[in-house]
């Protein structure tokens, strides 16, 4: 079954929207197979956002992503990589239609604050799942 890496960003925690977003993922019919709250380091962010390091906004993005906890998840389902991108809506809130997570809940001046990350390909999903869930399934 296809898997993707989803991450609720610090604004989702701060605005108490984590439950709402998780609920939308579940109601769509996807299966959340792993989930944990984390505080990200600059080192991890530089790996995760390697494609953006040279952008002028990168320092702000890094600071934003370290401004509070994130919640990482592995989400499983048929076509879930594209399906989650559709559920999220596009990066910029003004492009995101009502009915999407970003369309319904984001309009911040800080363009980093768009609530949620989702892998953009199956290949990236596998890379990101290995980065954020190296422990796999936890038994304690
Ligand atoms: P995505 O999250 O929709 O895949 P990416 O282009 O991969 O979008 O960018 C990663 C994240 O970087 C975005 O979700 C957003 O938080 C932040 N970002 C993207 N473009 C800008 C910008 O122009 N200014 C500030 N932050 C940005
Ligand atoms: Mg991206």
């Amino acid at each position: 079954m296809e898997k993707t890496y989803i991450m609720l960003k610090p604004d989702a925690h701060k605005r108490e929207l984590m439950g709402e977003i998780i609920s939308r993922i579940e109601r769509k019919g996807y299966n959340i197979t792993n989930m944990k709250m984390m505080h990200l380091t600059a080192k991890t962010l530089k790996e995760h956002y390697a494609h953006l390091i040279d952008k002028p906004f990168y320092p702000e993005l890094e600071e934003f992503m370290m401004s509070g906890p994130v919640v990482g998840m592995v989400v499983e389902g048929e076509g879930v990589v594209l399906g989650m991108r559709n559920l999220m809506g596009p990066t910029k809130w003004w492009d995101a239609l009502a009915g999407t997570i970003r369309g319904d809940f984001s309009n911040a001046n800080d363009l980093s604050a768009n609530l949620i990350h989702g892998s953009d390909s199956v290949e990236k999903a596998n890379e990101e799942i290995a980065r954020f869930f190296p422990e796999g399934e936890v038994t304690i």
Side-chain angles (χ1 to χ4, degrees):
M1 184 62 78
E2 191 169 297
K3 292 173 194 290
T4 192
Y5 178 67
I6 296 299
M7 184 155 62
L8 308 184
K9 296 184 179 183
D11 53 335
H13 178 258
K14 196 170 175 186
R15 295 178 56 203
E16 304 182 331
L17 286 170
M18 294 193 304
E20 168 71 37
I21 296 171
I22 291 166
S23 175
R24 286 179 177 219
I25 296 169
E26 292 186 320
R27 275 152 52 201
K28 174 70 179 175
Y30 295 141
N31 182 26
I32 300 172
T33 62
N34 303 67
M35 176 157 66
K36 70 181 169 193
M37 187 172 275
M38 301 173 270
H39 293 266
L40 300 182
T41 63
K43 180 176 179 284
T44 299
L45 282 162
K46 284 186 174 77
E47 290 168 13
H48 177 66
Y49 284 134
H51 62 298
L52 299 173
I53 278 181
D54 296 331
K55 302 275 188 199
F57 62 81
Y58 183 77
E60 280 166 57
L61 173 60
E62 190 177 276
E63 191 184 339
F64 164 70
M65 290 298 291
M66 294 174 73
S67 68
V70 300
V71 171
M73 284 178 258
V74 179
V75 179
E76 198 179 71
E78 198 70 53
V80 71
V81 170
L82 181 59
M84 273 304 309
R85 296 285 298 190
N86 289 336
L87 219 57
M88 288 160 53
T91 313
K92 307 278 198 289
W93 56 261
W94 57 81
D95 292 328
L97 296 179
T100 65
I101 293 165
R102 287 165 169 173
D104 285 349
F105 301 118
S106 71
N107 76 338
N109 277 333
D110 176 0
L111 295 181
S112 300
N114 60 4
L115 298 168
I116 184 167
H117 164 83
S119 312
D120 62 13
S121 66
V122 170
E123 192 185 30
K124 283 293 275 294
N126 292 335
E127 188 188 304
E128 292 173 358
I129 290 167
R131 173 175 303 117
F132 290 101
F133 286 96
E135 72 277 21
E137 193 177 289
V138 179
T139 303
I140 194 161

